[in-house]
Every structure is written in structure tokens, then in C-alpha cells.
Amino acid sequence: MQPERELTISSALKQVLVPLALCLIFDLGAGIFLGISFEKLLTTYPEILIVIPGLMGLRGNVFGSLGSRISTSLYLGSSDPTIKDEYVSKNVFFSIWAATIPALILFLIAALKFFGKEGLTTSFQVILDSSVVISAILAVMTALIVIGSFRRGLDPDNIMGPAVTTFADLVSIPSIVLFIFLFERYTGAWISTVACVIALAMSVYLSIRGGYDGKAYKETLLIVSLLALIQSITGNVLQEFSEVIHRALFLSFAYPAVIGSIGNYGSIMVARTSTKLHLGELSVGKLSDAPYVFLTSVVIAPTIYVLASLFASTFTGAPFPEAKDFLYFMIVYLALAAFVLLFSTTLSIWLHRVGVDPDNGGIPLTTTLTDIVGTTAVVILAYLIA
């Protein structure tokens, strides 16, 4: 029996708020790593600071699209709910190298900005190695989440997007910090780069052996490569205004949670709308799910504010923000959530009408644009608060 598709207030709180809240914990965990390592990245590895937002966002994009494709194929009955299914396994291998290409594009842009700076080779190895390792983990995890939730009668579209994008946010910063530590401390760490290059080549071979979904591969690669260029704007905004954000200290801890949760809302709406379009359920109502999903943001926003402030105080001794700062934060966050829900639904419908599968383009476009808007909003908040 397939999972129930339609949302109500009760099902939104159970199927949307619960995974969002769990994901929020991991996003705030990423915020702790960012807040603690922010100064080192700012002073020693500014080129990596430019790459970080894109790594977080584009990994979520690639694997959100992977999950959405698998979910749609399961509902259509064209794939079996097992990771051994040929369509599923090939998409897993494809996503590993598809997620690495935009990471390298982002690094190239950052390297051009800091051309001639000492340590660029180390930064390249850090970005390449962390991208390949984390992509392999995320690819398998995404497939297992979609398959597992489908088998248990839960709608993968409500769970997969937040879970994957949040885990991508959580592991991106710690993995970068880990590889920085390895390359600073061990001269033989170059072996990991060789191993990652071999693994990358194997993933390309296994994803195209015996035929592949050319349309999906082409659309995904084109979109994430173009979005890598757009994500460089987000990275440059973060790097250029990092000192201002750092002065409003709790925002350094809140940043991954804000960007991650807003992106999760977009992922949910794109995945739900795409599945409805493929199943011919659009008559149910184009924006019928948005109000129910929006209700969860009323809980998520104050949770981010309180916990980020608490973590900033605990780890740095910073004082709690003032009451007016809470008002600023709530207004900006709720406006962002409403915008993303409406935009992602409308974008999915438009992509479908022009012949682009929303499973391949909707999530990357939505989360990339919301990263830019969200980062800009955080900078504005930092000026208001600082």
C-alpha cells in the first residue's frame, strides 16, 4: 500500500515538523563547528570560506534530486524498493561524481580570487577529498532513506529532502575541518587524494556501464554546474561580510540552521509537487500543501533563535541577544519560509510545463536561490543586531 499523499494539519505536524525538528538539531550541530572554526577559516583559509555555502547547498541539491528521482520511480512502479535495483544503483554512483563537479568549480572561482596565495594546493586537496568521501556516504544514505520510508508506508517526499540536505550541511564543515587537520599534520595525507581520484573514476564507470538515463544525467549536471556559479555569489557574500556576521555572534551559530531549514522547505515542496505532476494529481490544488507546511515554521524559527543564542553563549561566553533581535529574526525567517514555499511550488509547475523534470531541476534551483536570499537576510540581520 502506498503512503497517503494529502497533507492535513495533523499529518504536517507528524510527517513534516518531526523530521524538520530532527534535522534542525544537526544543522545547529553544524553551526557549532562553523562558529568554533570560523576565525581560522576567515584568517587562514578564506578561499574555503567562499566554497562552504556552495558545498552545503549543492550536495543537498544533488542528493535531494537523487532522492526525488528514486521516490518518483517507486511511485510509478518502474523501480523496486531495493538499492540493488539497476536504476537506483546507477543513480547512486552518478550522484557521487555529479556532486564533485560543482565543488571543483567553486574552488576554481575561489582560487582565482586568491590567486598566488600560499596554501591553495592544500585547500584543493581538502575540497576534493571531503567532496568524494561525503558524496559516497550521502548517495547510499539517500537511497536507503527513500527506500526505507516507502516500505514503511511513509511518504519519502516529506522525509528525504530535509534528512539529506541537513546531513549534507552537518558533515560538510566537520569533514573540511578534518581534512585540514590531516593535511596540516601528516605529509603522507596525499594518499587519500589518490584514493579519492580512483573512487571518482570508478563511480563514473559504474554509472554509465550498460546504458544510463541520459536526460536525467544531462539535466542534473547542467543545472548543478550553472548553480555552482550562482552559489559562488553566496560564498562571496559570506566571506565579504563574515566579520559583520561574526560580531553578531549567535548568527554565526544560526547560519547553517537558517539556510538548511529554509532549503528543506523548498525541497519538500518541490518533491511533493513533482510527484503530484507525475501522478496527474495537480488538480488537487497547486498550493494546497503550502499553508500546512508553513505552520511548522512558526515552531522552527524561535527554536533556531533560542538554541543558537544558547550555543553562542555556552561556547564563547557571548551575552544573549536583546528582545528586539528576536522580533527581527522572526519577521525575516517567516517571510523567507513563505517565499520559499510559494516559489518552489510555482517553479516546479513551470519546469514541468517547459519539459524539464522537476526532480532534476526544481530542488537545485530552489535551494541555490534560497541560499543567496537567506545569506543576504542573515547579513541584513547582522547589521541590524551588531
Side-chain angles (χ1 to χ4, degrees), residues 72-358:
T72 298
S73 69
L74 293 176
Y75 275 110
L76 293 175
S78 56
S79 295
D80 295 325
T82 171
I83 199 169
K84 295 180 180 180
D85 180 87
E86 182 180 6
Y87 179 83
V88 174
S89 61
K90 283 191 173 183
N91 271 275
V92 166
F93 288 119
F94 165 68
S95 296
I96 294 173
W97 61 272
T100 304
I101 290 176
L104 298 180
I105 293 174
L106 285 165
F107 175 78
L108 176 61
I109 294 171
L112 289 174
K113 181 175 182 178
F114 292 96
F115 182 75
K117 176 183 171 294
E118 184 179 355
L120 284 179
T121 300
T122 299
S123 296
F124 170 76
Q125 291 177 297
V126 168
I127 296 303
L128 176 64
D129 292 11
S130 65
S131 182
V132 174
V133 171
I134 298 306
S135 294
I137 295 173
L138 285 171
V140 175
M141 188 195 77
T142 300
L144 293 177
I145 288 175
V146 173
I147 292 168
S149 57
F150 186 86
R151 284 178 172 177
R152 289 167 175 78
L154 300 174
D155 190 346
D157 293 339
N158 295 335
I159 300 171
M160 168 271 304
V164 172
T165 55
T166 299
F167 189 74
D169 292 349
L170 173 64
V171 299
S172 292
I173 297 174
S175 68
I176 287 173
V177 174
L178 172 62
F179 278 103
I180 287 176
F181 173 81
L182 288 176
F183 283 104
E184 285 184 344
R185 297 295 181 90
Y186 302 104
T187 56
W190 59 269
I191 297 175
S192 70
T193 303
V194 175
C196 287
V197 170
I198 294 173
L200 201 60
M202 287 296 298
S203 68
V204 174
Y205 170 72
L206 292 173
S207 68
I208 64 176
R209 182 182 60 176
Y212 58 94
D213 187 347
K215 182 176 183 291
Y217 284 20
K218 187 181 300 182
E219 287 181 357
T220 301
L221 288 174
L222 176 62
I223 290 171
V224 297
S225 297
L226 291 175
L227 292 182
L229 300 177
I230 300 175
Q231 278 283 17
S232 67
I233 299 174
T234 308
N236 274 282
V237 169
L238 179 63
Q239 192 267 329
E240 290 291 339
F241 295 96
S242 55
E243 293 184 5
V244 179
I245 295 174
H246 197 49
R247 288 201 297 269
L249 198 54
F250 89 96
L251 288 178
S252 299
F253 287 79
Y255 178 77
V258 171
I259 300 301
S261 58
I262 290 296
N264 287 340
Y265 284 123
S267 296
I268 290 172
M269 292 308 299
V270 169
R272 291 187 61 82
T273 304
S274 177
T275 300
K276 283 188 175 184
L277 289 167
H278 284 293
L279 295 177
E281 297 176 352
L282 191 58
S283 60
V284 173
K286 294 181 181 179
L287 304 177
S288 60
D289 292 337
Y292 297 112
V293 178
F294 179 76
L295 289 175
T296 64
S297 67
V298 180
V299 178
I300 295 296
T303 303
I304 294 175
Y305 179 88
V306 171
L307 291 180
S309 301
L310 178 62
F311 291 154
S313 178
T314 301
F315 289 100
T316 67
F320 268 71
E322 301 176 11
K324 65 179 179 61
D325 300 332
F326 174 74
L327 181 61
Y328 290 145
F329 188 88
M330 288 295 295
I331 292 173
V332 171
Y333 187 92
L334 294 179
L336 278 173
F339 167 76
V340 170
L341 291 172
L342 297 176
F343 173 78
S344 56
T345 304
T346 304
L347 176 66
S348 298
I349 296 171
W350 177 77
L351 288 173
H352 183 76
R353 287 177 176 173
V354 298
V356 176
D357 191 342

Side-chain angles (χ1 to χ4, degrees), residues 4-85:
E4 176 62 39
R5 290 291 306 161
E6 292 310 307
L7 282 181
T8 62
I9 294 178
S10 176
S11 63
L13 293 176
K14 292 179 181 178
Q15 296 191 37
V16 179
L17 180 59
V18 171
L20 282 175
L22 291 174
C23 291
L24 191 60
I25 297 174
F26 294 107
D27 276 330
L28 289 167
I32 293 174
F33 276 95
L34 181 61
I36 293 174
S37 60
F38 200 80
E39 187 174 353
K40 182 178 182 65
L41 292 170
L42 179 63
T43 57
T44 309
Y45 298 99
E47 63 275 12
I48 292 181
L49 193 60
I50 290 178
V51 175
I52 281 177
L55 283 182
M56 295 168 62
L58 289 170
R59 283 174 181 169
N61 290 340
V62 171
F63 298 106
S65 294
L66 167 66
S68 189
R69 286 196 300 273
I70 295 175
S71 174
T72 298
S73 69
L74 293 176
Y75 275 110
L76 293 175
S78 56
S79 295
D80 295 325
T82 171
I83 199 169
K84 295 180 180 180
D85 180 87

